[in-house]
Amino acid sequence: AGVVVFVMVKPSGNTTVLCERVDSDTACTVEHASIPCEVVRGRPLHENELHATIDDNNGDACNQKDSSPAAFPGKQVYLALIVSMFLHANLLHIGGNMLFFWVFGNNVEDRMGPWRFGAFYLVGGIVASLGHILADPNSSVPVVGASGAIAAGMGDYLVLYPRSRVPRLIIIVPPIVFFRPLRAWMLLGFWFLSQFIVDPGAQVAWVAHVIGLPLGVLIAVLIRLGRRVGRQREPAHLQAGTGDATDGAIAAGPGPTGTLTARVTPRTPAP
């Protein structure tokens, strides 16, 4: 869905499926993306706020007293919280997100099932976005990307398969590059800590990442506890085994960018 929306909203000339009235990527993004100022105020950016954000590079242009007309009066600012999860800034942005999603999300989806995983994905993305908004409520900078939702999936994966190896996945966190297999808990732990040293000028919504991963951990733990309680209430002759799926067989395959990545097939399906 993210790839489809990325193609749909990137203007070609001045027309796309979603952006028929604008002739730039920036305006198209503002029209559909989540913006903290808009969510907090409950209304679209005014024209003066938009010009200050784009032309003057003022990321905190939210002005309660601005009397200029709305830049996009028909915009649904709360719906934009969901739409933003399917928007991306460029090919590198969507490629990186889809790589992580493919590596860590497929096993979580297998455990949850497609419908529950879809609901989990949306909840994770919305909560992560709200965390970013609470951290910077006056920001007038659009927020795009699925990384908050994907971070939640990574947190769930961390609980389910903490000792599984993620081989041949190249993770670049300048100036550090990993070329060797790592346990999931090591890789995800390093990724989580690295978010706290992100360059403030990099325009990365790192707060959404550090909210998303713990949220995924919490949800996975609650699901596991709920299943254990459910088993304890069953008659003894109906109770299943309680093996822990912390290891599995590794099947390597080509990732979206040509890099070999890992797909983990757990040997024991019980949580």
Side-chain angles (χ1 to χ4, degrees):
V3 175
V4 172
V5 174
F6 177 78
V7 174
M8 289 171 63
V9 302
K10 297 299 284 184
S12 175
N14 62 355
T15 302
T16 67
V17 175
L18 294 182
C19 300
E20 297 180 354
R21 302 184 307 279
V22 298
D23 57 1
S24 74
D25 286 3
T26 301
C28 183
T29 299
V30 172
E31 184 179 7
H32 297 284
S34 172
I35 300 175
C37 172
E38 294 184 334
V39 175
V40 172
R41 305 294 183 190
R43 47 83 176 170
L45 285 181
H46 293 157
E47 289 184 355
N48 289 343
E49 293 171 323
L50 178 60
H51 289 310
T53 302
I54 297 176
D55 299 334
D56 302 334
N57 199 27
N58 180 5
D60 294 312
C62 190
N63 185 355
Q64 189 172 5
K65 299 180 180 179
D66 190 344
S67 59
S68 62
F72 296 100
K75 181 177 180 179
Q76 301 296 320
V77 297
Y78 300 118
L79 180 61
L81 284 169
I82 297 177
V83 176
S84 282
M85 286 188 281
F86 301 95
L87 301 176
H88 290 82
N90 49 49
L91 288 174
L92 181 62
H93 187 201
I94 192 172
N97 275 352
M98 293 302 101
L99 173 63
F100 272 80
F101 188 52
W102 184 76
V103 171
F104 298 107
N106 67 86
N107 297 112
V108 176
E109 182 181 7
D110 290 342
R111 293 292 291 264
M112 289 187 175
W115 294 106
R116 290 181 180 178
F117 180 74
F120 166 80
Y121 181 89
L122 291 176
V123 170
I126 291 173
V127 173
S129 295
L130 291 176
H132 170 76
I133 291 170
L134 288 175
D136 195 4
N138 291 320
S139 173
S140 54
V141 177
V143 181
V144 297
S147 54
I150 294 173
M154 292 161 64
D156 199 295
Y157 186 98
L158 181 60
V159 174
L160 295 176
Y161 314 111
R163 296 182 58 80
S164 64
R165 290 186 179 274
V166 184
R168 295 186 279 284
L169 173 64
I170 300 177
I171 301 298
I172 302 177
V173 183
I176 300 173
V177 182
F178 292 131
F179 291 99
R180 58 180 299 174
L182 291 175
R183 296 288 185 183
W185 70 267
M186 295 177 62
L187 179 62
L188 296 177
F190 176 83
W191 177 86
F192 180 77
L193 293 177
S194 72
Q195 302 308 301
F196 293 94
I197 58 174
V198 170
D199 181 3
Q203 297 295 322
V204 174
W206 65 272
V207 175
H209 302 166
V210 302
I211 293 293
L213 190 141
L215 175 67
V217 169
L218 177 62
I219 292 175
V221 170
L222 291 177
I223 291 175
R224 174 170 288 184
L225 290 176
R227 288 176 176 173
R228 287 181 177 175
V229 170
R231 283 199 298 266
Q232 291 174 357
R233 293 178 178 176
E234 292 177 351
H237 66 283
L238 295 178
Q239 292 185 12
T242 57
D244 190 1
T246 57
D247 200 357
I250 301 295
T257 58
T259 303
L260 285 181
T261 55
R263 294 177 65 88
V264 181
T265 305
R267 294 195 180 104
T268 307

